[in-house]
Amino acid sequence: HWSLMRQGQPGVPKLLDYLGELCASKPGFRIGIDPTVHASSFVRELVEAATKHGGIVADDLQENPVDVIWASRPPPPSSPFRVHPLQYAGLTVAEKLASVTSQMKKKGVRKNLYKYPRD
């Protein structure tokens, strides 16, 4: 059973609140996640919210649970990056890179790694 809930919309609960409520309503409720696609801070917050309400977070999975059930998944794009039209991106690639470089200099960062995500 899937329900589309868009965060920030009226009547839509915050994700951690929603999952906490599920855990509270179903003792031992398990939430399976692939921790390699989520920020470690989110994983910590999720574990805290779930365990506070009797739930369990399985964050030691060997593969992403969505990958296991998504049989008709299209292949990943073959190009390393996709440039969106300016009307959607808001800035050109050069402008975005200049902004990132400027912020890196301000923060004393000398290197940045751009990685193609698994998904």
Side-chain angles (χ1 to χ4, degrees), residues 19 23 111:
L19 292 173
C23 291
K111 294 182 182 182

Side-chain angles (χ1 to χ4, degrees), residues 5 7 13-31 42-57:
M5 294 189 282
Q7 291 289 291
K14 293 182 180 175
L15 178 61
L16 294 176
D17 294 341
Y18 174 74
L19 292 173
E21 290 172 16
L22 278 176
C23 291
S25 68
K26 300 176 183 186
F29 186 81
R30 289 180 64 89
I31 301 169
F42 172 77
V43 174
R44 281 192 302 274
E45 291 172 358
L46 177 59
V47 168
E48 181 180 317
T51 55
K52 181 168 90 173
H53 297 287
I56 300 163
V57 175

Side-chain angles (χ1 to χ4, degrees), residues 40-104:
S40 60
S41 59
F42 172 77
V43 174
R44 281 192 302 274
E45 291 172 358
L46 177 59
V47 168
E48 181 180 317
T51 55
K52 181 168 90 173
H53 297 287
I56 300 163
V57 175
D59 62 353
D60 59 348
L61 303 175
Q62 298 303 310
E63 49 188 333
N64 184 336
V66 174
D67 293 344
V68 174
I69 63 170
W70 193 357
S72 61
R73 183 177 188 161
S78 59
S79 61
F81 290 97
R82 176 178 28 188
V83 178
H84 291 283
L86 188 57
Q87 70 188 58
Y88 302 117
L91 298 170
T92 66
V93 172
E95 291 168 331
K96 286 185 180 188
L97 290 173
S99 175
V100 168
T101 302
S102 172
Q103 292 297 316
M104 289 172 61

